[in-house]
Amino acid sequence: MSDLIDGDFIQTRETSEGLEVVKTSRVSRDPFGQARDLAWDGNGLWSIDWGSLLRHDMGHARFKPNLDINDDPDNSFYIHHMKGIAWDGQNIWSSLDGGLYRHSDADFSIQDIYQSNVSGPAGMAFRGDELWVADRSYGFVTRLDLSDIETDGRPRVIERYSVVEQPFGITWSEDNLWLYDWLTNRIYKVKQLPAESLDRQDDCLSAEQQY
């Protein structure tokens, strides 16, 4: 995970009492500013900065980026104010308000653009063909089927969950969904998803289902 303000990378591990910080690394600040989201592609770490898609050198003591894709005016795409990044097993995806970008696995340029049913993405994670997106605007976690594109060009929404008030980070372990809540400044492990969407005005997960 990353500290949004300082830009530090934080390595944690799960214990019987919650998450334990294993290591905090100060990341090289040029051109990196802050990681609004992170993704692991199996070999290396990627981040979304304010206007750049960055791949970090894992051999560098401060993870200096060795690839920077930005919103140069000469490019035909716009990636400023990007807020989410995810790896589907072959391609890097990035997101901004109302849109999803699939990047080429050859040169990482934007290959496909999809409209999105998520107004304010603040973190993304894949699980199979499904893309799970934290929507900070309305407090939902939206589950998208990228193998099923609707006639309007949007991925089909499988389900929306309201688990925490302001989800701002999301990832999957093997069996569990993890969420960071901006409002409470806590990380939650969802041990069992509800059969249907929770209404955050009326329901919440029990203490046994999260920490």
Side-chain angles (χ1 to χ4, degrees):
M1 67 184 73
S2 174
D3 186 306
L4 183 62
I5 304 301
D6 296 331
D8 294 347
F9 287 171
I10 303 168
Q11 182 181 355
T12 62
R13 64 185 172 199
E14 186 180 7
T15 71
S16 59
E17 297 181 353
L19 290 178
E20 177 183 67
V21 174
V22 176
K23 183 180 181 181
T24 299
S25 302
R26 181 56 54 92
V27 182
S28 177
R29 303 294 285 182
D30 183 23
F32 175 78
Q34 57 179 214
R36 304 184 68 83
D37 196 16
L38 300 173
W40 179 260
D41 69 2
N43 296 302
L45 192 65
W46 293 75
S47 69
I48 280 287
D49 197 352
W50 193 240
S52 298
L53 175 70
L54 301 168
R55 183 181 64 193
H56 295 267
D57 182 355
M58 304 306 293
H60 190 275
R62 296 183 62 192
F63 303 107
K64 185 177 179 64
N66 55 20
L67 178 66
D68 178 5
I69 300 173
N70 57 53
D71 59 347
D72 188 314
D74 294 333
N75 290 332
S76 60
F77 55 85
Y78 178 78
I79 64 172
H80 201 57
H81 289 86
M82 301 297 281
K83 301 180 179 75
I85 183 173
W87 169 254
D88 69 1
Q90 181 174 354
N91 297 90
I92 283 287
W93 291 69
S94 58
S95 67
L96 75 170
D97 292 352
L100 292 170
Y101 294 156
R102 181 170 68 176
H103 295 260
S104 164
D105 59 357
D107 61 4
F108 307 108
S109 62
I110 290 177
Q111 181 174 314
D112 296 298
I113 301 175
Y114 300 93
Q115 290 186 328
S116 169
N117 292 286
V118 180
S119 61
M124 308 192 301
F126 272 96
R127 197 180 194 209
D129 290 329
E130 297 177 0
L131 180 62
W132 296 65
V133 186
D135 185 347
R136 76 193 188 285
S137 295
Y138 295 104
F140 293 113
V141 173
T142 302
R143 184 179 168 196
L144 301 173
D145 184 355
L146 292 177
S147 68
D148 187 0
I149 306 300
E150 307 278 12
T151 56
D152 62 359
R154 301 172 189 266
R156 181 176 67 87
V157 175
I158 301 172
E159 185 60 275
R160 279 192 173 95
Y161 302 101
S162 181
V163 182
V164 297
E165 284 287 338
Q166 294 182 23
F168 211 86
I170 185 171
T171 192
W172 272 95
S173 59
E174 290 186 4
D175 300 311
N176 297 105
L177 180 69
W178 294 76
L179 296 168
Y180 169 70
D181 182 14
W182 183 272
L183 185 68
T184 61
N185 194 30
R186 303 187 77 175
I187 296 171
Y188 295 86
K189 176 183 179 181
V190 182
K191 296 184 178 179
Q192 182 175 354
L193 285 164
E196 58 186 28
S197 293
L198 293 175
D199 180 352
R200 66 179 179 276
Q201 301 299 324
D202 301 316
D203 299 305
C204 64
L205 293 178
S206 68
E208 289 74 23
Q209 289 177 295
Q210 64 182 22
Y211 62 76

